[in-house]
């Protein structure tokens, strides 16, 4: 988790700027890697400055005949949900990492939350590896109404939570309890 965040941020901030794709994370079904771990590392990577993310499995050197087995893996489904989530945000453009906006950041690497913001500053997306509550500084959205929607990265389902106002630090509680959760805030 630390590497998915820190290495991504370091490369994102490197000069001259170049697009970064995290191509070497945990592989599903290999050395203890689970589908859930591959998805979590994807969200952490994409909200920490990566323009792309690759998904690997224990199906090394797969052939066309292996495609049905690959598609049956849970991680392949989670990758589709992750693609759908990010494609729907800001026209699919990468978000700028803004982790400093999180005022209740966890100290353990596997619990660290991440947040990205669109270039126009009106769309926020956050990932909470352990669900729970995230407090975000929405000061720059003062005077706006902000739509609040949660996303379950393991079912692909959205959960609308209405609206809030910008202009202050706001706390958001995941409806998915202690399970990984993604949050979308869109200023209107």
């Amino acid at each position: 988790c630390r590497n998915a965040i820190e290495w991504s941020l370091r490369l994102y901030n490197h000069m001259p700027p170049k697009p970064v794709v995290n191509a070497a994370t945990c592989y599903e079904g290999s050395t203890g890697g689970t589908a859930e771990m591959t998805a979590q590392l994807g969200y952490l990577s994409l909200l920490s400055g990566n323009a792309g993310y690759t998904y690997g499995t224990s199906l090394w050197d797969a052939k066309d005949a292996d495609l049905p087995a690959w598609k049956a893996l849970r991680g392949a489904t989670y990758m589709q949900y992750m693609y759908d989530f990010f494609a729907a945000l800001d026209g699919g453009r990468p978000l700028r990492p803004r982790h400093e906006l999180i005022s209740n950041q966890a100290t353990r690497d596997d619990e660290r939350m991440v947040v990205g913001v669109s270039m126009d500053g009106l769309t926020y997306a956050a990932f909470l590896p352990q669900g729970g509550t995230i407090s975000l500084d929405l000061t720059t959205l003062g005077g706006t109404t902000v739509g609040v929607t949660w996303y379950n990265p393991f079912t692909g389902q959205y959960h609308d939570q209405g609206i809030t106002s910008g202009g202050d630090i706001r706390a958001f509680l995941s409806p998915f309890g202690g399970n990984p959760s993604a949050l979308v805030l869109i200023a209107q």
Side-chain angles (χ1 to χ4, degrees):
C1 294
R2 178 186 317 142
N3 292 343
I5 297 170
E6 297 301 327
W7 290 0
S8 297
L9 289 171
R10 183 172 48 83
L11 291 169
Y12 177 81
N13 291 311
H14 187 267
M15 291 297 167
K18 296 179 184 178
V20 177
V21 174
N22 190 341
T25 65
C26 185
Y27 291 88
E28 180 179 2
S30 178
T31 62
T34 67
E36 292 75 18
M37 291 165 105
T38 61
Q40 177 176 331
L41 294 170
Y43 285 88
L44 294 175
S45 297
L46 291 169
L47 290 171
S48 294
N50 281 266
Y53 178 75
T54 63
Y55 162 67
T57 74
S58 59
L59 293 174
W60 304 107
D61 300 320
K63 309 284 188 259
D64 287 346
D66 298 317
L67 190 56
W70 183 82
K71 284 182 169 182
L73 293 170
R74 281 193 331 268
T77 300
Y78 298 161
M79 292 303 110
Q80 182 64 57
Y81 296 154
M82 185 167 48
Y83 170 83
D84 293 344
F85 176 77
F86 283 101
L89 296 174
D90 197 35
R93 291 180 286 278
L95 301 175
R96 294 178 299 138
R98 295 292 311 274
H99 307 340
E100 71 278 4
L101 297 176
I102 302 169
S103 63
N104 66 326
Q105 185 61 271
T107 55
R108 289 180 39 150
D109 290 328
D110 63 336
E111 296 176 357
R112 283 179 60 191
M113 300 172 281
V114 292
V115 64
V117 178
S118 62
M119 292 302 283
D120 65 7
L122 300 177
T123 301
Y124 290 53
F127 181 74
L128 294 68
Q130 306 289 322
T133 300
I134 186 169
S135 295
L136 290 170
D137 184 345
L138 303 181
T139 305
T140 61
L141 298 179
T144 65
T145 300
V146 180
V148 180
T149 306
W150 285 94
Y151 184 75
N152 186 324
F154 300 138
T155 66
Q157 299 297 308
Y158 287 93
H159 187 276
D160 183 12
Q161 292 231 299
I163 59 172
T164 190
S165 59
D168 205 346
I169 295 175
R170 301 278 182 240
F172 303 94
L173 176 63
S174 170
F176 309 120
N179 296 312
S181 309
L183 172 66
V184 177
L185 304 173
I186 300 177
Q188 303 168 357

